[in-house]
């Protein structure tokens, strides 16, 4: 299969053996993906503070032999036709077009993404004034529910085809066997979906709403203004990050920032960032804050301010942030430190560009300082022992580790994040207390964590993990350059994967897994290679001494670049890979993977 990426008359392409898939979003919470054999494929829209799946698949005859990413749309070629997929921003719609008229099959699977119930699914399809109306009603069924026949919800999918289209209604159920879900141990891996329509047409506009009237209105609006929507979207697909000399890396970086941007969810009320798609359609504070630096580099300053202010306003009564927004039961030990770190960077960037006053009134900055100081006071009181920052089980980014391996206590990256908090508050207030607290913590970390060869993962845990790179990225003042070099020389051989990544635990550790275990999280932080950590490690090594660590930096960059362009969702950076070989696994468009690749390339650009 030939994969091509095109932007601003620049293109890069490659023939690949693997099947490829793609993702589109409407920047409003809706998304569409095809070609992955998963129950998470298809067309999804926001619905009642969640998302709902509508279509499972769109089918024509012929094998796909080429896919092109034009940044604003996706094209696929068969031997006899060409498909075009386009999601107009801020509308609950998908536009599907063909070069030549052909029979198109539509398979429906209306449900909440995590709802695998099979009974009480009722479809009614009618034609009305040139539109096809698919009315779906979900009721309870006592074969799998506590009640029977109770109404849960009704939604409407409206489809507009060519006026003279030949339409048939198979009214059949077809079993789908999802090989990716089976491979990931994600059950159920089979499901019956509704084979509801066959339409001979060159174009379909598919719209969604809880209201039939609103769904028809959206569909008609797209149809009447389609060229305008296309033109606006083409103009939007321009990114602010710098060009690189290497065309392949250049397009990969621009794919990454576009894919990160595609995860933004902008509504009249607020702006948030999905952690990843197609199944992490939630707002995770940690993921958002790790990712948001890339939006600063893309000069999305208004968006960055909105997100940072919203998260600041969601600080809990104990000083921390919840794992998810809105608030969840589990807290995040690291999100609050990332919030301080990103505020520091954002204020610095705006200051350097002499536009701080454009985005912040003095009263806003004063209020911000008060909130951050209040958070710091609570955190020092609740989460500090002998000057060290402490955390509970499952509160760090390695949150699948539990029981005796839950990373509770004092962890190296949490100490670095606490240093970021002290650093920012000293800058903003000039209060010596924060300077003193920072110096005491630095001294304590060197005393407890530094072995003379490397930094321990925990105060009482000598396991070698890549969290050392997070600490170096956040707080390089922890060690001297010579000490950091010695540290990385010691740990890299123990974590390094020859394809260009890092394992999440020492390869000689008895719990190390060479291959991803899917939804069974046993390999997640015991071997699986995370692309965001790989890219962050490359940034750290590049800053420290590129000449010395060139082999590692270049191999990580190349592996991430290739994964973005030609694997998984094309143009998107995946969540993880098995340690054994480079793969696109986990969530196929992960926010922080994209973001840290953008940071890596910008770091290289700015030093040249």
């Amino acid at each position: 299969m030939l994969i091509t990426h095109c932007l601003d008359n620049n293109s890069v392409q490659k023939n690949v053996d693997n099947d490829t898939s793609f993702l589109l979003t409407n920047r409003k919470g809706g998304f569409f993906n095809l070609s992955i054999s998963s129950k998470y494929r298809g067309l999804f829209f926001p619905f009642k503070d969640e998302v709902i799946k509508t279509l499972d698949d769109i089918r024509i005859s012929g094998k796909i032999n080429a896919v092109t990413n034009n940044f604003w749309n996706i094209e696929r070629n068969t031997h006899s036709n060409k498909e075009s997929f386009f999601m107009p921003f801020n509308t609950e719609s998908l536009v599907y077009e063909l070069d030549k008229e052909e029979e198109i099959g539509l398979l429906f699977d209306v449900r909440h993404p995590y709802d695998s119930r099979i009974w009480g699914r009722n479809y009614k399809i009618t034609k009305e004034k040139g539109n096809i109306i698919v009315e779906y009603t979900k009721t309870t069924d006592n074969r799998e529910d506590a009640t029977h026949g109770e109404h849960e919800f009704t939604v409407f999918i409206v489809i507009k085809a060519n006026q003279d289209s030949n339409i048939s209604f198979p009214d059949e159920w077809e079993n789908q066997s999802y090989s990716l879900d089976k491979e990931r141990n994600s059950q159920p891996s089979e499901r019956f979906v509704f084979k509801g329509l066959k339409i001979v047409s060159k174009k379909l506009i598919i719209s969604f709403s809880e209201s039939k009237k609103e769904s028809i209105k959206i569909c008609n609006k797209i149809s009447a203004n389609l060229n305008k929507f296309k033109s606006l979207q083409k103009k939007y697909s321009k990114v602010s990050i710098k060009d690189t000399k290497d065309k392949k890396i250049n397009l990969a970086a621009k794919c990454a920032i576009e894919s990160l941007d595609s995860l933004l969810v902008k509504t009249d009320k607020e702006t948030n960032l999905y952690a990843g798609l197609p199944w992490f359609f939630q707002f995770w504070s940690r993921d958002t804050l790790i990712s948001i630096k890339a939006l600063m580099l893309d000069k999305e300053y208004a968006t960055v301010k909105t997100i940072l202010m919203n998260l600041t306003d969601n600080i809990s009564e104990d000083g921390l942030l919840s794992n998810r927004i809105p608030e969840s039961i589990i807290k995040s030990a690291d999100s609050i430190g990332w919030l301080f770190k990103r505020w520091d960077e954002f204020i610095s960037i705006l200051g350097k560009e002499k536009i701080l006053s454009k985005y912040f009134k003095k009263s806003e900055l004063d209020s911000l300082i008060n909130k951050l100081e209040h958070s710091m006071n609570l955190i020092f009181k609740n989460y500090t022992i002998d000057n060290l920052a402490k955390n509970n089980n499952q509160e760090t980014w390695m949150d699948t580790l539990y029981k005796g391996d839950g990373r509770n206590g004092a962890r190296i990256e949490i100490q670095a994040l606490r240093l970021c908090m002290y650093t920012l508050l000293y800058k903003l207030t000039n209060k010596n207390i924060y300077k003193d607290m920072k110096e005491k913590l630095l001294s304590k970390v060197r005393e407890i964590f530094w072995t003379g060869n490397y930094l321990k993962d925990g105060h009482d845990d000598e396991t070698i993990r890549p969290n050392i790179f997070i600490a170096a990225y956040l707080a390089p003042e922890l060690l001297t350059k010579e000490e950091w070099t010695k540290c990385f020389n010691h740990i890299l051989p123990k974590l390094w994967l020859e394809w260009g990544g890092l394992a999440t635990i020492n390869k000689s550790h008895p719990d190390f897994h060479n291959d991803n275990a899917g939804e069974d999280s046993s390999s997640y932080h015991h071997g699986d290679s995370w692309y965001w950590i790989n890219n962050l490690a490359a940034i750290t090594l590049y800053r420290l001494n590129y000449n010395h660590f060139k082999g590692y930096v270049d191999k990580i960059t190349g592996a991430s670049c290739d994964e973005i362009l030609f694997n998984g969702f094309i143009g998107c950076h995946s969540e993880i890979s098995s340690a054994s070989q480079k793969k696109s696994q986990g969530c196929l468009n992960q926010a922080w993977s994209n973001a840290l690749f953008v940071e890596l390339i910008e770091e290289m650009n700015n030093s040249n």
Side-chain angles (χ1 to χ4, degrees):
M1 182 177 296
L2 181 66
I3 299 175
T4 305
H5 299 271
C6 294
L7 179 67
D8 297 335
N9 299 317
N10 293 314
S11 66
V12 63
Q13 59 184 199
K14 181 181 178 180
N15 275 300
V16 299
D17 295 329
N18 51 290
D19 291 331
T20 60
S21 48
F22 67 89
L23 173 76
L24 295 170
T25 77
N26 64 359
R27 270 61 168 186
K28 196 179 179 181
F31 57 96
F32 174 69
N33 71 94
L34 277 190
S35 300
I36 61 169
S37 182
S38 170
K39 56 183 170 285
Y40 293 101
R41 77 182 179 198
L43 182 60
F44 298 74
F45 291 107
F47 178 66
K48 295 186 183 298
D49 297 323
E50 297 179 349
V51 296
I52 192 167
K53 182 176 180 178
T54 56
L55 285 178
D56 182 71
D57 205 358
I58 299 175
R59 293 179 181 172
I60 61 171
S61 63
K63 182 177 176 61
I64 306 300
N65 55 42
V67 182
T68 301
N69 169 29
N70 293 312
F71 284 70
W72 71 275
N73 80 336
I74 293 288
E75 295 175 346
R76 299 196 308 184
N77 292 70
T78 68
H79 68 283
S80 60
N81 214 335
K82 179 191 282 188
E83 301 172 290
S84 171
F85 303 88
F86 162 55
M87 281 195 92
F89 289 165
N90 301 313
T91 70
E92 286 79 7
S93 294
L94 171 73
V95 178
Y96 176 68
E97 296 178 287
L98 295 167
D99 269 8
K100 295 186 295 185
E101 192 174 79
E102 184 174 342
E103 182 178 87
I104 306 163
L106 297 180
L107 278 69
F108 297 88
D109 187 19
V110 181
R111 61 185 174 88
H112 294 288
Y114 301 142
D115 184 357
S116 59
R117 290 176 298 168
I118 62 174
W119 303 106
R121 298 185 286 162
N122 305 289
Y123 292 91
K124 177 183 176 184
I125 303 178
T126 57
K127 293 173 69 175
E128 183 178 313
K129 296 180 180 179
N131 292 315
I132 303 163
I133 314 295
V134 181
E135 179 180 351
Y136 175 83
T137 299
K138 179 70 180 78
T139 58
T140 60
D141 189 290
N142 58 16
R143 283 169 286 189
E144 56 192 352
D145 299 312
T147 61
H148 187 80
E150 288 193 6
H151 177 268
E152 290 191 358
F153 65 87
T154 298
V155 294
F156 294 87
I157 302 162
V158 173
I159 301 162
K160 186 181 289 293
N162 296 349
Q163 287 188 351
D164 56 350
S165 296
N166 181 16
I167 304 171
S168 59
F169 307 90
D171 195 25
E172 299 171 355
W173 292 85
E174 181 178 297
N175 188 45
Q176 304 299 299
S177 180
Y178 299 117
S179 58
L180 177 61
D181 293 338
K182 187 174 182 180
E183 178 187 329
R184 294 179 59 245
N185 302 309
S186 176
Q187 298 301 323
S189 60
E190 293 189 5
R191 182 171 175 82
F192 277 91
V193 300
F194 185 59
K195 195 173 181 179
L197 282 172
K198 288 183 178 179
I199 307 171
V200 179
S201 182
K202 282 184 64 177
K203 178 170 66 179
L204 299 179
I205 298 172
I206 305 165
S207 299
F208 166 85
S209 177
E210 189 176 1
S211 154
K212 182 174 82 168
K213 181 179 178 181
E214 181 63 21
S215 192
I216 292 171
K217 180 180 176 182
I218 295 167
C219 198
N220 289 340
K221 179 181 178 181
I222 298 296
S223 178
N225 299 280
L226 184 55
N227 289 333
K228 182 179 178 181
F229 276 104
K230 288 181 179 179
S231 178
L232 288 171
Q233 212 132 318
K234 287 177 185 178
K235 290 178 182 177
Y236 184 85
S237 61
K238 311 292 181 185
V239 294
S240 300
I241 61 172
K242 298 175 184 176
D243 288 334
T244 64
K245 294 178 182 178
D246 186 305
K247 183 169 72 170
K248 184 178 173 183
I249 291 177
N250 183 47
L251 274 175
K254 293 188 174 182
C255 282
I257 193 65
E258 182 73 7
S259 294
L260 177 65
D261 185 82
S262 77
L263 296 172
L264 285 169
V265 179
K266 297 183 176 182
T267 67
D268 294 337
K269 295 180 180 179
E270 58 188 4
T271 298
N272 284 304
L273 184 72
Y274 280 152
L277 291 175
W279 51 74
F280 287 145
F281 35 78
Q282 303 91 20
F283 309 126
W284 295 74
S285 60
R286 176 191 299 116
D287 299 57
T288 296
L289 288 161
I290 289 173
S291 303
I292 205 168
K293 174 72 177 295
L295 295 178
M296 299 180 207
L297 298 174
D298 198 31
K299 301 186 184 301
E300 292 282 346
Y301 297 144
T303 297
V304 171
K305 178 186 175 182
T306 298
I307 292 173
L308 289 179
M309 293 289 281
N310 179 50
L311 286 166
T312 303
D313 289 339
N314 276 277
I315 294 173
S316 301
E317 292 181 358
D318 62 356
L320 294 181
L321 284 166
S322 295
N323 251 354
R324 294 190 194 179
I325 304 298
E327 189 165 333
S328 59
I329 296 173
I330 298 175
K331 295 293 176 65
S332 169
D334 41 13
S335 291
I336 192 67
W338 282 106
L339 177 66
F340 277 65
K341 173 67 174 176
R342 295 317 191 198
W343 268 124
D344 191 352
E345 291 167 330
F346 189 44
I347 291 169
S348 296
I349 287 171
L350 296 181
K352 286 178 183 176
E353 296 195 11
K354 296 182 169 47
I355 53 174
L356 182 60
S357 60
K358 176 182 176 182
Y359 288 92
F360 290 94
K361 299 175 183 177
K362 185 179 182 303
S363 59
E364 282 184 301
L365 287 174
D366 290 342
S367 175
L368 172 63
I369 293 169
N370 288 335
K371 290 175 183 178
L372 296 179
E373 282 202 278
H374 182 61
S375 171
M376 183 71 262
N377 291 337
L378 292 169
I379 288 169
F380 192 83
K381 175 184 175 183
N382 297 319
Y383 297 99
T384 309
I385 296 179
D386 194 17
N387 292 309
L388 289 176
K390 67 167 185 173
N391 58 268
N392 298 316
N393 276 339
Q394 295 180 279
E395 287 186 348
T396 72
W397 81 275
M398 289 186 163
D399 56 4
T400 63
L401 303 183
Y402 58 95
K403 296 180 182 176
D405 197 15
R407 298 193 82 231
N408 64 308
R411 291 289 163 174
I412 186 58
E413 80 276 17
I414 305 300
Q415 311 313 309
L417 286 161
R418 180 67 67 85
L419 289 170
C420 292
M421 299 173 75
Y422 296 150
T423 298
L424 175 61
L425 287 176
Y426 181 63
K427 283 182 184 178
L428 293 177
T429 67
N430 206 32
K431 293 179 181 178
N432 285 326
I433 185 174
Y434 299 119
K435 183 179 180 182
D436 294 341
M437 292 163 82
K438 179 176 180 178
E439 289 174 354
K440 287 178 181 177
L441 179 54
L442 278 170
S443 175
K444 200 69 178 179
V445 170
R446 288 188 61 87
E447 174 191 341
I448 301 295
F449 287 83
W450 178 239
T451 69
N453 288 316
Y454 69 101
L455 288 166
K456 296 188 295 184
D457 192 61
H459 69 287
D460 59 354
D461 182 3
E462 296 186 358
T463 305
I464 292 177
R465 295 185 180 276
N467 299 307
I468 300 171
F469 290 102
I470 302 176
Y473 170 93
L474 293 164
E477 64 269 34
L478 277 168
L479 300 176
T480 66
K481 285 190 174 183
E482 292 75 18
E483 288 169 333
W484 278 122
T485 300
K486 185 178 183 180
C487 175
F488 295 141
N489 284 338
H490 181 80
I491 70 168
L492 274 166
K494 295 171 173 58
L495 299 172
W496 182 247
L497 307 170
E498 285 304 316
W499 56 261
L502 298 168
T504 34
I505 197 170
N506 191 333
K507 292 178 292 182
S508 65
H509 194 282
D511 292 336
F512 171 75
H513 287 63
N514 207 30
D515 292 295
N516 174 253
E519 283 195 358
D520 172 357
S521 61
S522 57
S523 69
Y524 217 36
H525 298 115
H526 281 132
D528 288 346
S529 184
W530 292 65
Y531 286 107
W532 84 272
I533 286 288
N534 297 343
N535 296 330
L536 180 146
I539 293 169
T540 303
L541 296 172
Y542 187 90
R543 287 173 178 171
L544 179 63
N545 189 339
Y546 175 57
N547 289 332
H548 182 75
F549 294 109
K550 184 178 187 300
Y552 293 108
V553 173
D554 290 354
K555 202 143 190 186
I556 289 173
T557 305
S560 290
C561 177
D562 190 72
E563 197 280 326
I564 292 167
L565 292 173
F566 304 119
N567 295 277
F569 285 154
I570 62 166
C572 304
H573 213 350
S574 296
E575 179 188 12
I576 55 175
S577 169
S578 291
S580 59
Q581 59 181 305
K582 178 175 69 65
K583 293 183 177 181
S584 298
Q585 292 175 301
C587 216
L588 297 180
N589 184 18
Q590 194 77 4
W592 57 16
S593 301
N594 290 303
L596 268 298
F597 185 77
V598 171
E599 275 197 59
L600 170 60
I601 303 309
E602 283 291 279
E603 183 74 28
M604 294 177 172
N605 284 344
N606 290 333
S607 63
N608 291 331

